[in-house]
Amino acid sequence: MRASLGAWGSSTHERTKKVIDRIDEHARVDRAFAVRAAGDGTAGRPLRDRPGNKLIDSFRNIVDNPHAGLLFLVPGMNETLRVNGRATLVSDASFFDSLVVKGKRPKLAVVVEVEELYMHCAKAFLRSSLWDPATWPDRSTLPSLGTIPRDQMALPISADELDADLTERALTQQY
């Protein structure tokens, strides 16, 4: 294996490493049809920005490396839709009014110019039984979201207080 990798040369390795070092996954989950074909006849897909943790890591990554991969999951459906393309950030476009939810217009949208679009077979979800609640771990055996940062960063606040704050913000700051 090492000999065959040598044929790629160090410059390819370095480019690949830069891409891998900057990969960022970010859940852009919204109600159905949050992603739609752009209305201007292009192959783009606007993804609305929603308030979150107020970090712009994903946006910085798009500026640095516009290659994007989208994976669409539908609860209960074992197949997925995969989209690969080039992402751009848009601060205003004709489709922005259609992205308003609860009176809030997004400040940014991500438009992905589709280069590849295909369905992915159900094998992985069937093997994992992802949608079968009987296979899910007992939630009480897992740490809460407040417990993880409290323990990792030795925060001077209880996990219960963090969990309550996270729940409150999740319910009140969705849009």
Side-chain angles (χ1 to χ4, degrees), residues 26-100:
H26 186 89
R28 299 246 179 232
V29 180
D30 213 329
R31 68 171 99 173
F33 307 110
V35 177
R36 58 187 76 161
D40 61 5
T42 68
R45 299 283 187 266
L47 293 114
R48 61 185 128 213
D49 177 43
R50 294 285 179 229
N53 58 12
K54 307 290 190 249
L55 299 176
I56 60 171
D57 297 336
S58 294
F59 297 146
R60 282 187 186 132
N61 290 342
I62 289 170
V63 171
D64 290 347
N65 179 1
H67 297 284
L70 308 175
L71 179 65
F72 294 90
L73 305 175
V74 177
M77 184 174 175
N78 290 318
E79 296 79 18
T80 59
L81 175 66
R82 295 176 61 177
V83 176
N84 293 313
R86 297 185 67 77
T88 55
L89 301 175
V90 180
S91 60
D92 193 31
S94 60
F95 58 78
F96 265 63
D97 289 337
S98 71
L99 303 178
V100 173

Side-chain angles (χ1 to χ4, degrees), residues 8-157:
W8 288 92
S10 61
S11 62
T12 300
H13 170 74
E14 288 305 313
R15 283 189 307 239
T16 303
K17 184 177 180 325
K18 282 183 183 176
V19 170
I20 290 173
D21 285 346
R22 296 293 299 181
I23 289 175
D24 172 57
E25 318 79 41
H26 186 89
R28 299 246 179 232
V29 180
D30 213 329
R31 68 171 99 173
F33 307 110
V35 177
R36 58 187 76 161
D40 61 5
T42 68
R45 299 283 187 266
L47 293 114
R48 61 185 128 213
D49 177 43
R50 294 285 179 229
N53 58 12
K54 307 290 190 249
L55 299 176
I56 60 171
D57 297 336
S58 294
F59 297 146
R60 282 187 186 132
N61 290 342
I62 289 170
V63 171
D64 290 347
N65 179 1
H67 297 284
L70 308 175
L71 179 65
F72 294 90
L73 305 175
V74 177
M77 184 174 175
N78 290 318
E79 296 79 18
T80 59
L81 175 66
R82 295 176 61 177
V83 176
N84 293 313
R86 297 185 67 77
T88 55
L89 301 175
V90 180
S91 60
D92 193 31
S94 60
F95 58 78
F96 265 63
D97 289 337
S98 71
L99 303 178
V100 173
V101 174
K102 295 191 178 187
K104 299 211 176 175
R105 191 172 195 263
K107 291 180 173 45
L108 286 174
V110 178
V111 174
V112 177
E113 184 179 334
V114 177
E115 295 172 348
E116 296 178 305
L117 181 139
Y118 52 95
M119 296 297 294
H120 194 87
C121 74
K123 292 176 187 173
F125 284 142
L126 291 172
R127 283 190 301 263
S128 69
S129 299
L130 179 69
W131 305 122
D132 180 2
T135 66
W136 298 349
D138 178 358
R139 188 64 178 97
S140 68
T141 65
L142 302 174
S144 71
L145 186 55
T147 299
I148 296 168
R150 192 233 23 227
D151 290 353
Q152 293 297 314
M153 297 185 288
L155 298 175
I157 185 171

